[in-house]
């Protein structure tokens, strides 16, 4: 799991990326409608990812963070003295008990590009409170889109173009 936080005039956001088997990425964004500090955002990002991993039923997880504060406190090397962070540290410790193995790894911010970009993008956008945006897909292509297998249609013969379903949805919500 990789995560990062971002703040803008439009709010506080965390971006979480879950990686399975190096080829499947799951992106999660959480926007806060309450003021948070940078350290609270860092904890919220780690906790949000751990909750997602728990919901997936995983038992062994690797948490990659660019926050030394969260990593050292999650590893038990330091206890927080900040009263606002104590409930976060305690909750993170409780979450960790549900896993057979949790590894916390610090790595440079420069290597945390995907969650950073995700959080930054989401912090720039205002969604209505309570709105849910379903997952989106990042595709990679090895050839131009016109190489796709197009089905040539004969409208005079009653064949429908391949985009008919999309057009019906946009125009008629069917």
């Amino acid at each position: 799991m990789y995560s990062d936080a971002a703040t803008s005039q439009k709010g506080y956001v965390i971006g979480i990326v879950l990686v399975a088997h190096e080829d499947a990425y799951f992106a999660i964004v959480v926007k806060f409608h309450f003021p948070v500090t940078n350290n609270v955002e860092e904890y919220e990002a780690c906790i949000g990812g751990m909750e997602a991993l728990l919901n997936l039923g995983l038992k062994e997880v690797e948490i990659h963070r660019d926050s030394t504060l969260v990593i050292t406190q999650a590893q038990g090397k330091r206890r927080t003295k900040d009263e606002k962070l104590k409930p976060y540290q305690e909750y993170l410790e409780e979450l960790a008990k549900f896993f057979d193995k949790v590894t916390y790894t610090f790595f440079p911010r420069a290597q945390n590009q995907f969650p950073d970009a995700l959080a930054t993008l989401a912090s720039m956008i205002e969604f209505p409170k309570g709105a849910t945006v379903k997952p989106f897909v990042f595709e990679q292509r090895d050839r131009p889109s016109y190489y796709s297998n197009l089905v040539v249609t004969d409208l005079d013969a009653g064949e429908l173009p391949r985009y008919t379903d999309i057009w019906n949805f946009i125009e008629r919500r069917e």
Side-chain angles (χ1 to χ4, degrees), residues 92-104:
L92 189 60
E93 289 169 356
E94 288 300 313
L95 278 174
K97 292 177 184 176
F98 288 99
F99 298 94
D100 293 339
K101 182 179 178 185
V102 179
T103 305
Y104 298 96

Side-chain angles (χ1 to χ4, degrees), residues 42-121:
E42 294 294 344
Y43 261 105
E44 286 281 359
C46 193
I47 288 170
M50 296 226 6
E51 288 174 335
L53 294 165
L54 187 61
N55 286 333
L56 291 171
L58 299 174
K59 291 296 181 187
E60 293 187 9
V61 296
E62 295 178 18
I63 312 296
H64 301 274
R65 301 283 303 134
D66 63 7
S67 168
T68 55
L69 173 90
V70 173
I71 290 293
T72 56
Q73 291 178 0
Q75 291 172 331
K77 294 179 180 176
R78 286 182 39 198
R79 299 294 302 166
T80 185
K81 294 177 183 167
D82 187 336
E83 290 300 319
K84 292 182 303 263
L85 297 181
K86 283 182 180 180
Y88 287 101
Q89 186 176 19
E90 291 168 6
Y91 183 53
L92 189 60
E93 289 169 356
E94 288 300 313
L95 278 174
K97 292 177 184 176
F98 288 99
F99 298 94
D100 293 339
K101 182 179 178 185
V102 179
T103 305
Y104 298 96
T105 305
F106 174 80
F107 66 99
R109 185 175 305 272
Q111 295 177 4
N112 204 24
Q113 294 174 352
F114 191 0
D116 179 50
L118 189 64
T120 301
L121 175 64

